[in-house]
Amino acid sequence: MLTTLHQICWIAGMEYRKWLTRKHLLVLLFSILFLGEYVFSDMLRVAQITGLRINCLEPMALVLSFAFYIMAVPLIVIVELSDFPDKSAGNIFVVMRIRRITWLFGELFFGFLAGATCLLVFFAASLIWTFGYTSVSNTWSPFMTAIYEKFPDLYTSNARLFLESGTLSHGSPISVTLTCVGLLLLYILSMVQILCLFRFLGRQKTGLIVTIGITVFGAVSAAYIEDIKWYFPITHAIFGLHYDKFFAQSIVPLYASILYFAILNLGLLALNIRMAKRCMIADGSW
């Protein structure tokens, strides 16, 4: 068991180090600039006008609580992992030396680490952008709770910069942010598994299109199409959608979304394990 875990971590580490040197990371840089200019800098501007400080976790919680913002994160991960899993000669040699299932788990662990890294980078960017106007605590800041009463016109014209009452009333900044991160990582893991499955099928570009399509159409349905939005996994990854924004009542319990992701990821894992056992290594078809 320890040997297998060591091999999984070794494979994930090897892939992670290669990933950090790829040109795809430029896409991550551009996405940081997008969120920085469209979200974080505007939050800073409003904080400067009002004099209200922002909790250091609130910018990230905001990004992970709205469909339009959160969509950018998995899209970046999907683009970053567009050639996942790697089928270079060195990786084929690794597959031939160890059990295929061990290799598969190592690759999936690497995909999970890549997604977590992107989230960590976004969080660091939010701290840098709002530096000087943030506070450290586990309570929602006046920026989120008092601005409507003190500056109603400013709140109305910048509504996209504030968390809804359904989010604020169902947890502290730490618990909400951690829940948002956990749900999004489960979503990213499912997209990574879909990329892996299509790679096994020899349809790498199709897998890229499918994962991007699921993310984009899911985010659109989450924002505009009430009847079908809960069929898409990204809706289950958005904390704020689980609660009514006016009455703060639960719409879909969080445990239902966790169960949704558990079934989805276990089903995809079973398919990937089957494909990993059947794929042909020598002819490069995998």
Side-chain angles (χ1 to χ4, degrees):
M1 177 63 72
L2 291 177
T3 301
T4 300
L5 290 175
H6 180 267
Q7 290 176 337
I8 290 173
C9 292
W10 178 78
I11 293 169
M14 177 187 66
E15 294 292 343
Y16 188 77
R17 289 189 293 272
K18 288 194 296 184
W19 176 69
L20 290 176
T21 63
R22 292 175 181 170
K23 295 180 180 179
H24 287 168
L25 288 179
L26 291 175
V27 179
L28 179 60
L29 175 61
F30 290 130
S31 65
I32 292 171
L33 294 175
F34 165 73
L35 285 178
E37 291 300 320
Y38 189 71
V39 182
F40 304 144
S41 64
D42 284 350
M43 292 183 74
L44 177 62
R45 173 180 55 81
V46 174
Q48 290 172 335
I49 293 173
T50 61
L52 300 174
R53 286 190 170 271
I54 307 168
N55 186 296
C56 62
L57 295 175
E58 288 171 349
M60 198 62 192
L62 179 72
V63 168
L64 301 181
S65 295
F66 286 92
F68 181 70
Y69 298 155
I70 198 175
M71 176 178 64
V73 182
L75 284 179
I76 294 304
V77 176
I78 291 169
V79 172
E80 293 285 341
L81 300 178
S82 58
D83 57 350
F84 175 88
D86 183 17
K87 60 178 294 185
S88 62
N91 214 355
I92 293 176
F93 176 75
V94 170
V95 177
M96 296 176 68
R97 288 288 303 272
I98 64 174
R99 295 175 63 243
R100 298 186 184 194
I101 306 306
T102 302
W103 168 82
L104 174 63
F105 277 98
E107 290 289 330
L108 294 179
F109 185 35
F110 152 64
F112 183 86
L113 289 176
T117 300
C118 289
L119 281 173
L120 184 61
V121 169
F122 284 125
F123 176 65
S126 72
L127 294 178
I128 294 172
W129 243 277
T130 57
F131 181 76
Y133 277 83
T134 55
S135 60
V136 180
S137 70
N138 196 28
T139 57
W140 298 110
S141 70
F143 182 86
M144 291 294 174
T145 60
I147 194 168
Y148 178 75
E149 294 180 358
K150 294 182 177 181
F151 305 93
D153 293 337
L154 193 61
Y155 174 86
T156 302
S157 60
N158 295 276
R160 64 183 178 84
L161 301 178
F162 305 101
L163 292 165
E164 296 172 344
S165 60
T167 300
L168 297 174
S169 61
H170 282 86
S172 63
I174 292 178
S175 64
V176 169
T177 303
L178 289 178
T179 303
C180 289
V181 169
L183 290 173
L184 185 58
L185 286 176
L186 288 174
Y187 178 80
I188 290 174
L189 181 59
S190 63
M191 295 300 103
V192 167
Q193 291 214 70
I194 291 174
L195 287 173
C196 188
L197 180 61
F198 276 92
R199 184 73 155 179
F200 282 136
L201 295 172
R203 298 288 186 271
Q204 177 185 349
K205 292 183 179 179
T206 302
L208 189 62
I209 294 172
V210 168
T211 50
I212 291 175
I214 290 174
T215 300
V216 173
F217 288 118
V220 171
S221 70
Y224 302 108
I225 311 175
E226 187 71 25
D227 294 339
I228 65 171
K229 68 180 184 180
W230 290 105
Y231 291 106
F232 289 91
I234 197 170
T235 306
H236 292 270
I238 304 174
F239 182 89
L241 294 181
H242 289 78
Y243 305 99
D244 185 275
K245 64 181 178 180
F246 297 111
F247 303 104
Q249 296 175 340
S250 177
I251 299 174
V252 173
L254 284 172
Y255 72 81
S257 292
I258 295 173
L259 180 61
Y260 176 95
F261 280 121
I263 294 173
L264 177 62
N265 277 296
L266 287 174
L268 288 169
L269 181 60
L271 290 173
N272 277 312
I273 289 175
R274 182 179 180 183
M275 294 300 298
K277 290 179 177 179
R278 297 175 58 184
C279 68
M280 300 298 292
I281 303 298
D283 62 3
S285 62
W286 70 288

